[in-house]
Structure formats: structure tokens, C-alpha cells
Amino acid sequence: MSMQYCMRRQKRQCSPTQPQGFLMSAITHLVTSFAADLQLDKAPRQVVDRAILALRDFLGISLAEADSPLTQRLLRVANLSGGSGTCQIPGREERLSPFWGAAVLGTSTHHAELDDGHRGGHVHPGVTTIPALLMDAQRRPTAGTDLLSGLIASYEVSIRIGTAISPGAQYERGFHIPGLVGTIGSAIGVSRMRRLDQSSVEQALGASVLGPLAPFAAFSSGAAVKDFYGGWPAGMGILSNDLAAEGIPGPPGLFDDSMGWLTTVGATAQTEGFGDDLGSSWRILETYVKVHAACSFSHTPIDAALELHPHGTTAEDIAEVVVATHVFADRLDDTAPRTPQGARFSIPWVVAAALLRGRVAPEDSSQVALDDPTLRQLAKRVRVISDDEATRRHLEDDRVRPARVEVRYTNGSTRSAARSVGRGGPEQPLSETEVHQRFTTLLQGYDGDSAEQVWDACGQICRPDGVPTLIRTLSKMRRK
């Protein structure tokens, strides 16, 4: 039975509370059938290569964060919660339960604000899924083809769900979509990696109702707990599958019930034709790799600021900076962030860092950076304003994030630059060589040979011993 026929056959009269284009009993069946049936050898080579690149990119970030103060605190919380177990986090000796291992790994990695994402779907599918796959693979024999199939299934489903509810769920209702949708993708990914059939995938997906509500207030306030929007969904992907496996499934038809997930979180969801191209068009190819350690809404201002960064410019040379951008991004206007998280969500801060330091790396929002008086003073002179034309373009296509940066110098001169999309996305993708360079830069604190072994193990994950080899390689990683 074709997907199109299935959707026509199951079409029902929509109630007023159901999302536009709502098709009874179709969406849940489509995504769970896709996940259960996905075979890696049927996916295009470029999709498989992109999945491997996503795994490499994630591990570079996670290993860079392995010794961070946040990781230390998370490990203490896990131990206080009885989270010890057999699963090892990359770059650490501690062993945690699968749930807590995924939660700690996802949270610490998300903290760096370097994880990949999809602009139209407003999701970060790697950080909310890959930790679950890596932890679950440590407690059961797992083929590399199944791990990559789980990764791809998660990306394809979560990006489509995020796109269906965007931008309304975020702009109108205040959800943090990566945290909200992440549990769905994680549950789907683990189910596929475990080779579950369609009915079992649906039971595990139903249990993802236990995922975080994810109000955007945690993001906008710069609260440290926001980083858990990366880790909690990852842990929930494992827990959802474990609950279903023990006969504690969630509701069937999660996306289709009149009081189900889509109606609850996305009353304006656009689901007409949802899933028609599953298995023929691959959303993973539309994801971005972050060039800057900051919220993706700030990447166009950062790229514009970097164009204006003349060698030798000092804070005293700059009288004022004006950033004109679209709705929502114009709210990231805190000129005096108090936490690393707040700094990474502050356009004034990251633009100031770009102008003074010629980069926006993780260390540029560290506590040390926050104590830099020069950087703090310049950030206070960066003004973010709303631009009607930028907003119009963004609301027409929320993958477009226009920004114009104007620098007014103390000598009376002015320079400006504008960007519509950030580097690292499908319009200006990073090459594998560039991603590898970033990988090695992030892992400068490790032995160079061991870092290359991680990179190579990801590329060889489809070999018969591919997953055990990767897990062993990660378990040996220690800083110099």
C-alpha cells in the first residue's frame, strides 16, 4: 500500500481544533512505518555520508565539552539521582545508566551552542538523538548500519514535525522547538536502531508524551537549565522505548488524535501532504553545521560583523553598532549577559566578540570572557532593532534570517554589511575538509592520533565491528 493511498484511505472530517490539513490516523502511521522500514542500503550515498558527518561533528563537540564545569555538575546530579550504570560518556571514565548517560551527553554538548540544526524545522536533531543511540548501543549488540539508520530516521521525522509546527509553535505559543520535538526524534531513532516493527515503534513514540514542555523562557532568560533541552529529549528517547518494551506504551495515533500532540502544541500546524516525500526527499541534506558558538539566529549578524572586522580595530575605535534584523531575532538584545548561556543568545555580545576577536568560539562566551571589561563595554554599544523588510522576508520563508550590521566609528566613518543566511547551511555548506578542520581544532586538548582515530572510526562504522570499535575508541579518549 503506497503512502499516498494510505493517506487518502484514512482521510476523515477534521474537527475545528485539528491542525490545518489534518489526516486522521495517517501521520503517526506514516512516520512509524518509515522508521521501521528504513534500510541504509536503500538511502542515497550522499545521505549516508551526511549521517556520518553529523556523527563526527557531534563527537568533536561532545569531546571538547567532556571536562567542562557544566559536565562536572551534570555528573554530580546524575550520581545524586542514582544514575550510575554501565554506559561511558566520550572522554570520561564515569559510567552511567543509559538514560543519564544520554541526558548528560546531550546537555553538555548542547551547552557549546555548536550542534547542528535545521532552520525551517527549528530543531537540533543530532544533539537530541545521537547521545541516545550511543548509550543504547553500549548495552546491546548494534550494527553500524542500524545506528546510522536510526540517526537518519530521527532527522527525517523530527525535521518534518518541526517544520509542520513552525514558526507558530515558537513565535506565537512560546515553545522551544528543539527541546519539544527532540524526544520524538530520539524515540524514533532508538526504535529504528533496535529494529522494531511499525507497531512497536508507534508504542515507543506514544511514550514520548513524557518529553519536556520546553517553554522558550529558559532560552530567552539565559537560564543554565536550558541546555537540558538537548539532553532530556535524548534520555527520553531511551526511556520511551524501554517503557514500551516493558508493556507501558504511550497512546496510539500520537499525532492524529484530536487531543494529541500536534493539536496540543501546534494548532496552526501545516500537515497537508505531510510525509508524501518520506524516503525520496531527504531533509538531513538541508541541515547546517554551526560555524559560530552561538544561537543560529545570531549567525547572520556574526557573519556580517566578521566582514567588517579590520585588523587592529579596538573597542575605542567603535562609537556604536546597529544590528537591524527580523522579528524574534530582535529579542536577542541583552547588552549585559550574566551567564555563558545568556552570552550565546545575545546578539550584542556575539557581534562585539566578532568585531574585537574575529571569531565567536566557545571560549568567547566563557566566564573568563564575561569578565573581560573591553568586551563588556563594546557589547553595551551594540543596539538591536527590528527591520520590517527583514521580518517580511523571514516570515515568508523562516529559513531566511536577514540581518544588517552597521558600525559607526569614532572618526565619523561608517561601514555596513548584510547577510540573509548564515555560513554552514545548505546554501553555503562547509566541506568535509572544513568540518574536519573544526573537529581537530575542537580536540586540540587531546592527542592528535586519538582524535583521528575517532574520525576514522565514524567513517568505518558500517564494518561488522564498527560500533564496538567506535565505542572502544571513545572510551580511551583523555585530554593530554
Side-chain angles (χ1 to χ4, degrees):
M1 183 187 306
S2 71
M3 288 184 180
Q4 290 81 359
Y5 173 76
C6 177
M7 293 177 74
R8 289 195 300 270
R9 185 173 71 103
Q10 299 187 47
K11 191 171 184 179
R12 297 289 189 272
Q13 181 67 36
C14 299
S15 76
T17 59
Q18 291 171 331
Q20 180 179 344
F22 196 88
L23 303 175
M24 286 296 291
S25 304
I27 295 178
T28 305
H29 183 79
L30 281 174
V31 299
T32 53
S33 295
F34 168 75
D37 296 341
L38 179 61
Q39 298 298 320
L40 198 67
D41 60 359
K42 304 298 183 184
R45 183 68 236 180
Q46 65 182 130
V47 171
V48 178
D49 289 344
R50 185 67 184 192
I52 293 172
L53 192 69
L55 180 62
R56 285 167 162 165
D57 185 54
F58 171 86
L59 288 173
I61 304 165
S62 66
L63 284 165
E65 291 293 311
D67 290 331
S68 73
L70 175 64
T71 303
Q72 305 284 358
R73 294 195 295 271
L74 290 168
L75 289 168
R76 289 196 292 272
V77 171
N79 287 328
L80 287 170
S81 301
S84 61
T86 61
C87 295
Q88 194 166 359
I89 295 174
R92 304 289 310 186
E93 294 182 353
E94 294 87 348
R95 294 183 180 271
L96 301 175
S97 69
F99 174 89
W100 273 106
V104 170
L105 181 58
T107 303
S108 63
T109 305
H110 191 43
H111 174 71
E113 276 296 325
L114 282 169
D115 40 314
D116 69 1
H118 187 276
R119 287 197 297 263
H122 294 264
V123 291
H124 294 295
V127 77
T128 52
T129 293
I130 294 174
L133 301 179
L134 291 174
M135 295 302 115
D136 204 55
Q138 292 186 50
R139 60 173 178 168
R140 64 187 72 245
T142 301
T145 52
D146 289 325
L147 189 149
L148 290 182
S149 294
L151 187 156
I152 294 168
S154 169
Y155 274 62
E156 296 304 311
V157 171
S158 60
I159 290 170
R160 283 173 169 83
I161 294 293
T163 301
I165 65 173
S166 294
Q170 180 165 297
Y171 294 175
E172 299 169 13
R173 308 194 69 185
F175 289 109
H176 181 267
I177 295 179
L180 182 69
V181 176
T183 300
I184 291 169
S186 182
I188 286 285
V190 172
S191 293
R192 171 56 192 88
M193 191 175 74
R194 292 186 184 183
R195 301 184 181 181
L196 301 186
D197 60 23
Q198 182 276 326
S199 177
S200 300
V201 177
E202 183 169 354
Q203 291 178 10
L205 176 63
S208 69
V209 296
L210 301 174
L213 177 65
F216 210 88
F219 176 103
S220 57
S221 68
V225 76
K226 178 266 175 185
D227 293 327
F228 230 86
Y229 284 173
W232 187 256
M236 285 304 307
I238 293 176
L239 182 59
S240 297
N241 276 271
D242 287 350
L243 286 168
E246 292 299 324
I248 313 173
L254 178 65
F255 297 130
D256 312 304
D257 192 279
S258 62
M259 298 184 73
W261 193 93
L262 277 173
T263 304
T264 302
V265 308
T268 59
Q270 301 293 317
T271 57
E272 190 70 52
F274 183 97
D276 282 357
D277 60 354
L278 270 169
S280 60
S281 179
W282 301 89
R283 299 292 187 268
I284 191 173
L285 300 177
E286 302 172 356
T287 54
Y288 59 76
V289 173
K290 277 191 175 182
V291 179
H292 314 298
C295 170
S296 62
F297 281 99
S298 66
H299 282 215
T300 43
I302 292 171
D303 285 340
L306 287 172
E307 180 180 332
L308 303 174
H309 172 71
H311 182 70
T313 298
T314 67
E316 290 72 23
D317 297 324
I318 299 173
E320 184 185 30
V321 182
V322 178
V323 179
T325 188
H326 58 84
V327 65
F328 190 79
D330 62 359
R331 296 165 59 183
L332 307 181
D333 60 354
D334 186 359
T335 59
R338 297 180 299 276
T339 66
Q341 289 88 347
R344 290 163 187 166
F345 311 147
S346 161
I347 287 178
W349 185 268
V350 296
V351 165
L355 289 170
L356 285 185
R357 301 182 174 191
R359 68 180 192 200
V360 181
E363 55 266 33
D364 296 313
S365 56
S366 67
Q367 194 58 54
V368 172
L370 287 169
D371 293 335
D372 181 344
T374 303
L375 191 51
R376 293 194 70 85
Q377 289 167 12
L378 181 57
K380 290 179 180 178
R381 298 200 293 276
V382 179
R383 184 161 51 97
V384 181
I385 63 173
S386 180
D387 183 87
D388 290 343
E389 176 61 15
T391 294
R392 182 192 66 77
R393 293 176 59 199
H394 177 65
L395 293 180
E396 283 183 354
D397 182 353
D398 60 351
R399 294 171 298 181
V400 177
R401 299 177 176 180
R404 180 179 181 83
V405 176
E406 183 178 277
V407 181
R408 301 167 184 172
Y409 295 93
T410 53
N411 64 7
S413 64
T414 299
R415 301 182 70 213
S416 64
R419 291 288 184 275
S420 294
V421 293
R423 288 183 59 229
E427 304 86 358
Q428 296 178 278
L430 299 186
S431 66
E432 181 175 323
T433 299
E434 289 175 307
V435 176
H436 180 260
Q437 182 178 7
R438 192 183 83 149
F439 179 89
T440 55
T441 299
L442 286 169
L443 300 189
Q444 286 179 345
Y446 293 87
D447 176 74
D449 290 340
S450 62
E452 284 302 312
Q453 288 171 9
V454 172
W455 181 272
D456 293 341
C458 291
Q460 299 168 5
I461 196 168
C462 290
R463 293 184 176 183
D465 63 344
V467 173
T469 298
L470 176 61
I471 298 299
R472 284 196 303 271
T473 303
L474 292 172
S475 70
K476 297 175 183 177
M477 292 292 291
R478 296 292 183 275
R479 290 192 178 274
K480 293 183 287 189

